[in-house]
Amino acid sequence: MAVKYQSFAKSCLTVGKWTNPEPLDHGLEIIPRTDLSDLHVGDLMEVDARFHG
């Protein structure tokens, strides 16, 4: 049995106008599609979940 595990963290900061982040081609990615600069507690957030692309 072989197990490979890699963990990466990506943060999204907004300076000026919001632009959607690009995928980094990692095994599992959760990418926000909602403008995070105008997000408040209780708001819904849309994400793009990718598994191997």
Side-chain angles (χ1 to χ4, degrees):
M1 178 179 177
V3 176
K4 178 182 176 184
Y5 176 79
Q6 292 180 320
S7 178
F8 299 97
K10 177 171 128 178
S11 63
C12 300
L13 303 174
T14 301
V15 177
K17 185 181 175 197
W18 169 260
T19 57
N20 286 334
E22 295 297 321
L24 298 175
D25 295 327
H26 291 158
L28 174 65
E29 294 184 81
I30 301 172
I31 304 168
R33 293 295 173 205
T34 302
D35 183 353
L36 299 180
S37 65
D38 193 31
L39 198 65
H40 303 285
V41 175
D43 289 349
L44 295 177
M45 183 176 114
E46 185 178 337
V47 298
D48 184 14
R50 296 171 177 251
F51 183 68
H52 292 290

